[in-house]
């Protein structure tokens, strides 16, 4: 926590100093700066007074406050998202492996319960930046949309922000998911080997196998999960007339994750089949994959792995949103501006 506080203060001072110097240089004859009265510290206090910058943590991306607030909320989101993503993946990776193997096996095949942490290190290397990008994009987008949309359309703002965040992070999430699932199903022994052999056999596009099916699953998933979570939090806070505690955030996150995980399981099955097929190319397209599964295995195949998936995402939602809100709270408390309020 002390390291995080120290790093954040350095970043903020750098931005503050840079902006102050720019204003002093550009103002010229239109702005007189009295060194005795308007010292850099005094000017910084005037420019970034909490009364002028933040109202109940609603941060403007464009407008009078300038770009500084956007950088702050993006940075907060990126740090919080990275922390939450890494904690969830580390804690629940075995459940994800079991779910993947259940979905990947065709017909009445059996799954192997060995090597449940296979591919974890390589996955974390992708999850950290992907989660940082997702929340880093989601938070400022959400706050901007909430200021634009009327209150009765707040759910639409959350749905849209979740979709935008998912699309932005997909450029990293898809290759990470491809490598992870190939390792979970025993195709490769290590992440570097997986990347090298996938590119050698399938070309660079092999790392983006199932990209369309990934978006088909993850964009609705991200939108629904974050919308449910945000709406439940808003309703609970209005009813309780106070901020939520850490356990309350975790319970709401678990509920949102479990519902979304169950609803999107058929899309997850399609995504898994498309990603793990490799160079064999059993499925030519998403529609061909759906038709083949229906013909060979029946409709019930689209619910494969629903138990581990709901459990994994339910527990994961609890951990993710709990860590996310706690990290955001810690970051807010480390801001020097808070000391002046």
């Amino acid at each position: 926590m002390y390291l995080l506080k120290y790093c954040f203060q350095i970043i903020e001072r750098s931005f503050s100093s840079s902006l102050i110097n720019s204003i002093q240089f550009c103002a010229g004859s239109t702005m007189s700066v009295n060194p005795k009265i308007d010292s850099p510290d005094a000017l910084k206090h005037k420019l970034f007074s909490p009364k002028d910058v933040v109202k109940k943590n609603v941060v403007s991306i464009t407008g009078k406050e300038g770009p500084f607030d956007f950088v702050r909320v993006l940075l907060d989101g990126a740090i919080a998202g990275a922390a939450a993503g890494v904690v969830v993946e580390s804690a629940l990776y075995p459940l994800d492996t079991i779910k993947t193997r259940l979905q990947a096996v065709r017909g009445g095949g059996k799954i192997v319960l060995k090597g449940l942490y296979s591919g974890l290190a390589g996955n974390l290397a992708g999850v950290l930046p992907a989660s940082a990008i997702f929340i880093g994009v989601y938070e400022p987008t959400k706050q901007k949309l909430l200021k634009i949309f009327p209150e009765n359309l707040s759910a639409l703002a959350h749905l849209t922000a979740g979709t935008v965040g998912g699309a932005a992070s997909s450029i990293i999430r898809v290759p990470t998911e491809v490598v992870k699932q190939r390792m979970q199903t025993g195709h490769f022994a290590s992440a570097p080997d997986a990347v090298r052999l996938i590119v050698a056999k399938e070309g660079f596009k092999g790392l983006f196998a199932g990209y369309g099916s990934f978006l088909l699953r993850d964009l609705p998933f991200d939108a629904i999960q974050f919308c449910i979570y945000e709406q439940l939090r808003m309703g609970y806070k209005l009813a309780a007339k106070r901020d939520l505690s850490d356990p309350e955030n975790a319970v709401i996150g678990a509920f949102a994750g479990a519902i979304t995980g169950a609803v999107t399981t058929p899309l997850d099955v399609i995504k898994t089949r498309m990603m793990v097929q490799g160079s064999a190319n059993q499925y030519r397209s998403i529609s061909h994959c759906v038709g083949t599964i229906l013909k060979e295995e029946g409709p019930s195949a689209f619910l494969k792995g629903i138990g581990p998936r709901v459990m994994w995402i339910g527990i994961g939602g609890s951990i993710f949103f709990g860590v996310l809100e706690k990290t955001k709270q810690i970051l807010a408390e480390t801001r020097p501006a808070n000391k002046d309020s």
Side-chain angles (χ1 to χ4, degrees):
M1 176 175 175
Y2 292 109
L3 179 60
L4 181 63
K5 178 178 180 180
Y6 178 71
C7 293
F8 194 82
Q9 288 177 345
I10 290 176
I11 292 170
E12 183 169 8
R13 286 169 185 169
S14 175
F15 278 115
S16 301
S17 177
S18 176
L19 187 57
I20 292 167
N21 291 336
S22 298
I23 292 173
Q24 290 175 336
F25 177 79
C26 296
S29 60
T30 62
M31 178 178 176
S32 176
V33 180
N34 187 329
K36 294 181 180 180
I37 300 174
D38 291 322
S39 64
D41 288 338
L43 183 57
K44 175 184 174 183
H45 179 75
K46 289 182 180 180
L47 288 171
F48 303 114
S49 173
K51 296 179 181 178
D52 299 325
V53 177
V54 181
K55 290 184 179 180
K56 301 297 285 184
N57 294 328
V58 176
V59 183
S60 174
I61 297 176
T62 60
K64 296 181 180 179
E65 290 86 354
F68 181 79
D69 288 333
F70 171 78
V71 173
R72 171 181 285 178
V73 74
L74 188 149
L75 183 62
D76 279 7
I79 295 172
V86 168
V87 171
V88 170
E89 288 296 319
S90 300
L92 303 178
Y93 196 78
L95 276 176
D96 184 31
T97 301
I98 294 172
K99 182 271 302 180
T100 298
R101 290 176 181 176
L102 282 170
Q103 292 179 343
V105 67
R106 303 180 67 180
K110 296 181 179 180
I111 66 167
V112 179
L113 294 179
K114 293 182 180 180
L116 296 182
Y117 278 96
S118 178
L120 175 60
N123 188 51
L124 291 180
V127 165
L128 193 152
S131 298
I133 291 172
F134 179 90
I135 301 297
V137 171
Y138 171 81
E139 283 292 334
T141 303
K142 176 190 73 174
Q143 293 186 21
K144 179 62 177 178
L145 291 176
L146 286 174
K147 298 189 77 172
I148 295 174
F149 292 173
E151 290 185 8
N152 61 337
L153 292 180
S154 62
L156 180 59
H158 295 137
L159 284 168
T160 305
T163 302
V164 173
S169 62
S170 66
I171 194 69
I172 294 178
R173 289 164 77 182
V174 172
T176 300
E177 191 81 355
V178 169
V179 171
K180 178 192 76 172
Q181 294 198 330
R182 300 279 182 94
M183 293 185 67
Q184 286 176 330
T185 52
H187 286 66
F188 306 104
S190 68
D193 284 344
V195 173
R196 179 173 55 83
L197 292 173
I198 289 172
V199 172
K201 292 182 179 180
E202 305 169 45
F204 186 74
K205 67 178 182 180
L207 293 173
F208 290 87
Y211 188 81
S213 60
F214 179 89
L215 294 181
L216 179 66
R217 181 204 70 170
D218 268 47
L219 295 189
F221 178 90
D222 294 332
I224 294 170
Q225 183 183 33
F226 276 79
C227 180
I228 293 175
Y229 173 73
E230 297 278 15
Q231 291 295 306
L232 287 176
R233 280 191 83 234
M234 288 171 59
Y236 195 98
K237 288 177 72 174
L238 285 173
K241 297 181 180 179
R242 59 175 173 78
D243 289 332
L244 275 61
S245 65
D246 293 338
E248 288 168 335
N249 284 323
V251 170
I252 292 174
F255 187 73
I259 292 177
T260 312
V263 170
T264 58
T265 294
L267 300 177
D268 190 48
V269 171
I270 297 169
K271 186 271 307 178
T272 297
R273 294 292 181 91
M274 295 291 291
M275 282 187 167
V276 303
Q277 65 178 329
S279 57
N281 287 327
Q282 302 104 303
Y283 311 114
R284 296 189 298 271
S285 64
I286 293 174
S287 59
H288 181 250
C289 177
V290 173
T292 303
I293 293 174
L294 281 172
K295 181 179 178 181
E296 295 181 356
E297 304 170 59
S300 62
F302 289 104
L303 296 179
K304 280 188 172 183
I306 189 172
R309 178 172 168 79
V310 170
M311 183 183 299
W312 165 52
I313 297 179
I315 299 174
S318 172
I319 298 172
F320 181 89
F321 286 110
V323 173
L324 182 72
E325 298 299 338
K326 189 63 178 179
T327 306
K328 286 161 62 177
Q329 178 187 339
I330 292 172
L331 289 171
E333 291 172 353
T334 62
R335 294 174 185 165
N338 285 353
K339 296 177 182 179
D340 300 328
S341 58

